[in-house]
Amino acid sequence: MSNKYIGQATRRVDGRAKVTGQAKYAAEFQTEDLAYGVVVSSTIAKGKITAIDTSEALVLEGVIQVFTHNNVSGLAWFDKSYKDQDSPPGSPFRPLNGPEIKFSQQPIALVVAETFELASYAATLVKVDYETEGPVEVEIRDHLDKAFDPGKGKQGYKKPKNRGNFAKEFAKSDVRFETSYYHGAEHHNPMEMHASTVIYEADDHLTIYDKTQGVFNSQNYVTGIFGLSKKRVRIVSPFVGGAFGSGLRPQYQLFMATLAALELKRSVRVTLTRQQMFSFGHRPATLQKLSLGASQDGTLQALNHAAYSETSRFENYTETIVDWSGAMYKCDNVSYDYKLIAGDLYTPLDMRAPGAATGVYAIECAMDELAYKLRMDPVELRLKNYTEEDANQGKPYSSKELKACFQQGAEKFGWSKRNPEPRSLREGKTLIGWGMATGMWDAMFVPSRAKAFLSADGKLTVSSGTSDIGTGTYTIMTQIAAETLGMPMEQVTFKLGDSSLPLAYLEGGSATAASVGNAVRITCENIREKLLKLLSRTSYAPLADRPQEDLEFADGKIRLKADPEICISYSDILKQAGENYLEDTSTALPNMLKQMDYARNTHSAVFVEVRVDEDFGTVRVSRMVSAIAGGKILNPKTARSQILGGMVWGISKALEEESQVDSNFGRFMNHNYAEYHIPVNADIPAEMEVIFVEENDDVVNPMGIKGLGEIGVVGVTPAIVNAIFHATGKRIHELPVTLDKIIMEDLVVE
Ligand code: MOS
């Protein structure tokens, strides 16, 4: 394959549409006679509604209806209908199903009016009486005695088998210690709030513009609950203003807008407020306990990783948290524990690198602690325990260029100049610290379909029902199609985000580039074959008899390699053969036989410099280098953006983000941008370097693509926590590392 497009730093094909406002998001699609729904949220976390009075709202001219559990019927009876592709085991929440309240901010009514403003005002007039049941339980650390084993959970999650004998070898280890790490909940904060615009057409045909990471998931959800055939429901989602996992499950605005549209036989839009964005999934609060035992030379002898994580009372959300420790390092005696604690909150939800962002944070901080106890360089300690196989699975990594990440990252950062002594670097009152950590994520491949359509005017349209949550899917798919079929990128259009397009899985797990990418390649290869067949019906028929290696597909033409002047354009092939178009729809399937013998992952090494004010405990990240082993890089520009975004989030996770929950009222208190801190430009260092090390891998998929959506965030947070230790001598065991934790008197220098 030549490299005219794949591997080239290419601007986003949708960039212009986005910056000029041409790109439309779910709440921006207009239709005549659109009604507006505003959700009323519960003010209690646990109990039931005893009375709900909508009369004051309904008397207002222009208020069309108020839907509550009292006037909704005809919905699906079974849990199965409310399940979606990302549901954990349990009973999914059913909006407006009854008077019971299971979490604070539970949606309890939808006010529909002629204008958004009127609906918003009328929503304030809905009077609700509750019977509160108490007390609420929302803080996992207060209820560790209720921790339970979730068993085999979501997508078959099962904690890995223990190996060796942890207890025995830990007791014998030269150096051993126990440590723990905790972080509270975090909420997804995409710029775009969740929204659904339901266009009602005759005979209950619905076109729904939904904010989602999976149009087919939303389609199944709507058709299941409302008993509609798939022919009647089309989900469209051409642009998504960030999601980070929040769009993996259909959220309740989709239910509400669809319900209202069907009941009123009218088009309806429901948009959640920023506060309501805190009323559904979140990264779960998790407490982790690790015990590490090592010999004097740094060899890990024993490792125990236990996690206690939060779930709701109605679903058991699980994450792959503890597994990473025993996969990242060579250690013969490993044990795991993973337990859930149910609370009076909504079910947690996948958030960028779910599980890894949590588990890798803990093991990578613990490894730094070990490095200090051994007086060993943290990179050296990691190299000492380096492994080419995932011992949980007993399989070698299909590729793992992590050593190159350590080497190139350290080189770029200047790691060799580091004095390991804590508090050894300062400029006046500013303590400077250098820290590092490793990151790891999965390289997934899920079956995906794509369609290619080449028209007689020489334009190619490729499509797949995947989504682009800002990751660059439009761009890389266009590159792959243009490369494969030998066409200028300007002649290629990629379409996505529509349930009428070929089936693709949820855009999650960093799987889309690899999965849909290979489907696009295959379907374009099939178009090449079809063009060759047509060639024999044209004036260039003799070319068709040439061996394929004599021919090339380039610039929208089939031409003779030896003499590019001898050529015919795709357009002329179609015209001369009397065809208006060529099309193909194909599926990319993982090569299971090839894959099953390997563990497939992305890896990274992150190096960070922090500057901590000695008096005030304020932390600034001043420099960061992230070296990524992420397989084939399709577009260094969008790839770098993905990693930069992850680095920003890693800073924010380490220093700023936390959803604080009130233990009396079971409510997230800082549910707004004033109090839920996310970084602004001034929080982000100017010097952020991204390195992609070369990594070839034909096991993961024929194109060697591993996906980059999530690896960028993993490893950043522990690197910062470790750098703060190096700067201050204070080991902070809880996120975010805010100044109060740093200046607290009782923190000891280790
Ligand atoms: Mo992601 S949490 O796989 O959208």
Side-chain angles (χ1 to χ4, degrees):
M1 202 180 265
S2 72
N3 273 322
K4 189 154 192 230
Y5 296 115
I6 292 178
Q8 303 301 320
T10 306
R11 284 191 195 175
R12 285 169 194 261
V13 295
D14 52 336
R16 181 177 293 266
K18 281 187 169 173
V19 298
T20 56
Q22 301 297 303
K24 280 195 179 181
Y25 297 82
E28 295 180 325
F29 288 88
Q30 277 306 342
T31 184
E32 275 179 27
D33 205 30
L34 182 69
Y36 297 81
V38 166
V39 175
V40 179
S41 306
S42 167
T43 56
I44 69 161
K46 194 178 181 182
K48 65 178 183 205
I49 298 168
T50 52
I52 185 158
D53 179 359
T54 59
S55 56
E56 270 187 61
L58 282 168
V59 295
L60 295 179
E61 193 186 328
V63 172
I64 301 160
Q65 180 58 292
V66 181
F67 295 100
T68 71
H69 67 278
N70 290 321
N71 61 359
V72 168
S73 61
L75 300 172
W77 288 13
F78 301 108
D79 277 348
K80 185 165 69 80
S81 313
Y82 288 82
K83 292 239 181 214
D84 67 84
Q85 290 176 2
D86 197 37
S87 295
S91 298
F93 170 65
R94 303 178 182 196
L96 307 186
N97 182 61
E100 297 78 24
I101 301 294
K102 295 174 175 174
F103 56 95
S104 179
Q105 282 199 297
Q106 177 176 319
I108 54 173
L110 182 77
V111 179
V112 186
E114 297 293 342
T115 66
F116 172 70
E117 291 74 13
L118 182 58
S120 300
Y121 172 60
T124 67
L125 303 178
V126 174
K127 299 275 178 296
V128 188
D129 292 330
Y130 301 97
E131 194 177 287
T132 305
E133 207 184 299
V136 292
E137 295 179 356
V138 291
E139 169 59 69
I140 58 167
R141 288 175 294 182
D142 293 343
H143 303 286
L144 290 176
D145 54 318
K146 293 180 184 161
F148 63 94
D149 185 341
K152 194 171 146 79
K154 186 177 90 163
Q155 291 157 7
Y157 175 74
K158 213 175 156 216
K159 78 175 147 77
K161 278 204 186 77
N162 294 341
R163 55 181 185 259
N165 187 332
F166 164 76
K168 190 168 143 221
E169 296 304 318
F170 182 69
K172 290 199 315 206
S173 297
D174 297 339
V175 173
R176 56 178 182 267
F177 67 103
E178 292 177 9
T179 186
S180 64
Y181 287 90
Y182 174 81
H183 64 73
E186 288 167 36
H187 277 85
H188 313 74
N189 272 284
M191 271 200 283
E192 179 200 21
M193 269 82 77
H194 276 257
S196 302
T197 302
V198 180
I199 310 294
Y200 184 86
E201 287 142 36
D203 199 21
D204 288 354
H205 278 76
L206 307 177
T207 300
I208 304 178
Y209 297 95
D210 186 36
K211 178 187 175 108
T212 178
Q213 290 170 257
V215 286
F216 300 103
N217 198 26
S218 291
Q219 187 190 39
N220 285 334
Y221 185 78
V222 164
T223 54
I225 292 171
F226 296 99
L228 298 168
S229 80
K230 290 205 172 138
K231 282 195 200 113
R232 284 197 153 112
V233 180
R234 178 176 167 210
I235 309 284
V236 185
S237 179
F239 292 97
V240 177
F244 314 113
S246 66
L248 289 173
R249 298 189 71 178
Q251 303 302 356
Y252 61 79
Q253 90 288 340
L254 174 63
F255 171 97
M256 293 288 192
T258 307
L259 170 85
L262 289 171
E263 292 279 330
L264 302 172
K265 302 206 175 298
R266 188 171 167 179
S267 299
V268 177
R269 169 184 305 150
V270 176
T271 307
L272 299 189
T273 62
R274 181 57 65 184
Q275 283 80 1
Q276 287 167 339
M277 291 296 289
F278 288 74
S279 64
F280 53 91
H282 52 273
R283 197 192 294 281
T286 304
L287 172 68
Q288 300 179 75
K289 296 184 178 177
L290 290 103
S291 302
L292 271 61
S295 55
Q296 274 312 339
D297 70 352
T299 307
L300 266 177
Q301 305 284 14
L303 167 66
N304 175 263
H305 192 161
Y308 304 88
S309 202
E310 172 213 339
T311 192
S312 67
R313 297 215 190 269
F314 44 96
E315 288 171 311
N316 284 348
Y317 172 84
T318 58
E319 288 187 336
T320 300
I321 293 175
V322 297
D323 313 37
W324 303 99
S325 302
M328 288 172 94
Y329 297 108
K330 182 170 159 39
C331 181
D332 294 335
N333 302 286
V334 180
S335 63
Y336 299 106
D337 200 9
Y338 178 73
K339 294 218 162 67
L340 293 179
I341 293 138
D344 299 302
L345 295 169
Y346 193 82
T347 311
L349 176 62
D350 292 311
M351 181 189 277
R352 201 172 196 175
T358 299
V360 173
Y361 148 63
I363 179 66
E364 286 302 279
C365 288
M367 285 297 278
D368 199 68
E369 291 189 58
L370 179 60
Y372 274 95
K373 289 184 198 299
L374 292 162
R375 301 193 161 274
M376 205 169 164
D377 178 80
V379 177
E380 200 187 314
L381 176 65
R382 283 163 175 83
L383 289 172
K384 180 88 194 168
N385 295 287
Y386 199 82
T387 178
E388 299 288 356
E389 71 151 31
D390 172 353
N392 291 334
Q393 302 183 56
K395 293 175 184 178
Y397 290 108
S398 59
S399 59
K400 181 180 174 179
E401 294 296 339
L402 178 59
K403 279 183 181 160
C405 294
F406 286 139
Q407 198 268 322
Q408 292 178 37
E411 171 81 32
K412 188 95 202 171
F413 186 85
W415 185 257
S416 64
K417 296 189 211 85
R418 180 177 182 262
N419 175 345
E421 202 54 44
R423 304 177 73 90
S424 60
L425 256 176
R426 69 157 68 221
E427 277 172 18
K429 287 276 192 186
T430 303
L431 301 170
I432 299 170
W434 290 4
M436 62 80 56
T438 306
M440 188 171 166
W441 183 247
D442 296 321
M444 296 187 213
F445 189 106
V446 289
S448 303
R449 283 169 72 71
K451 176 179 172 177
F453 183 96
L454 180 67
S455 61
D457 63 358
K459 291 203 164 40
L460 176 70
T461 304
V462 183
S463 57
S464 177
T466 184
S467 77
D468 185 341
I469 54 176
T471 46
T473 310
Y474 275 113
T475 310
I476 57 171
M477 296 308 158
T478 307
Q479 289 174 266
I480 293 170
E483 182 84 52
T484 310
L485 201 42
M487 289 180 68
M489 262 184 78
E490 304 72 50
Q491 300 289 311
V492 180
T493 305
F494 187 72
K495 290 189 173 164
L496 52 69
D498 188 328
S499 61
S500 66
L501 299 176
L503 194 67
Y505 190 64
L506 290 169
E507 195 199 31
S510 304
T512 301
S515 311
V516 180
N518 276 283
V520 167
R521 177 187 57 86
I522 292 169
T523 193
C524 289
E525 282 174 355
N526 289 342
I527 295 287
R528 286 165 55 143
E529 294 302 315
K530 291 181 184 189
L531 277 169
L532 278 177
K533 282 199 188 115
L534 279 193
L535 188 60
S536 56
R537 283 158 46 188
T538 71
S539 57
Y540 278 72
L543 268 189
D545 296 331
R546 302 290 289 249
Q548 275 209 35
E549 55 272 24
D550 287 0
L551 304 175
E552 63 183 2
F553 292 76
D555 292 333
K557 297 174 188 128
I558 296 180
R559 61 192 189 197
L560 205 54
K561 275 186 194 165
D563 183 0
E565 295 294 303
I566 302 177
C567 65
I568 178 169
S569 71
Y570 305 157
S571 175
D572 284 342
I573 295 174
L574 282 160
K575 283 177 191 155
Q576 289 189 24
E579 301 288 344
N580 291 325
Y581 63 88
L582 272 180
E583 68 177 348
D584 177 79
T585 304
S586 293
T587 307
L589 291 169
N591 183 340
M592 299 301 280
L593 275 179
K594 202 164 175 180
Q595 290 191 344
M596 61 194 250
D597 293 334
Y598 296 91
R600 289 159 283 124
N601 294 87
T602 48
H603 301 268
S604 72
V606 185
F607 297 84
V608 173
E609 178 183 276
V610 297
R611 303 170 78 88
V612 185
D613 184 289
E614 193 175 16
D615 295 325
F616 295 107
T618 46
V619 180
R620 311 279 303 170
V621 174
S622 43
R623 258 180 344 116
M624 197 187 290
V625 176
S626 180
I628 305 285
K632 172 80 190 164
I633 303 305
L634 295 165
N635 179 344
K637 194 165 187 159
T638 51
R640 179 171 175 272
S641 290
Q642 280 301 289
I643 303 306
L644 285 179
M647 290 159 80
V648 169
W649 195 335
I651 294 173
S652 149
K653 185 173 167 54
L655 303 176
E656 304 191 24
E657 289 193 50
E658 182 180 30
S659 302
Q660 296 181 327
V661 62
D662 182 298
S663 290
N664 293 313
F665 297 106
R667 172 174 284 239
F668 288 110
M669 297 180 286
N670 52 340
H671 58 345
N672 56 65
Y673 273 2
E675 293 161 296
Y676 186 93
H677 291 172
I678 54 171
V680 296
N681 260 2
D683 294 315
I684 300 306
E687 281 186 74
M688 299 227 290
E689 298 267 1
V690 180
I691 297 168
F692 291 108
V693 306
E694 191 175 334
E695 188 174 65
N696 300 304
D697 190 327
D698 64 358
V699 172
V700 283
N701 54 74
M703 300 180 75
I705 306 167
K706 284 189 167 181
L708 297 168
E710 284 158 303
I711 183 63
V713 69
V714 189
V716 177
T717 300
I720 293 170
V721 174
N722 296 340
I724 292 170
F725 175 75
H726 183 235
T728 64
K730 293 180 179 186
R731 181 72 63 181
I732 314 298
H733 293 263
E734 192 174 323
L735 297 177
V737 184
T738 42
L739 55 88
D740 52 316
K741 290 169 190 156
I742 292 179
I743 58 182
M744 257 163 51
E745 291 297 318
D746 57 348
L747 288 171
V748 287
V749 176
E750 287 173 44

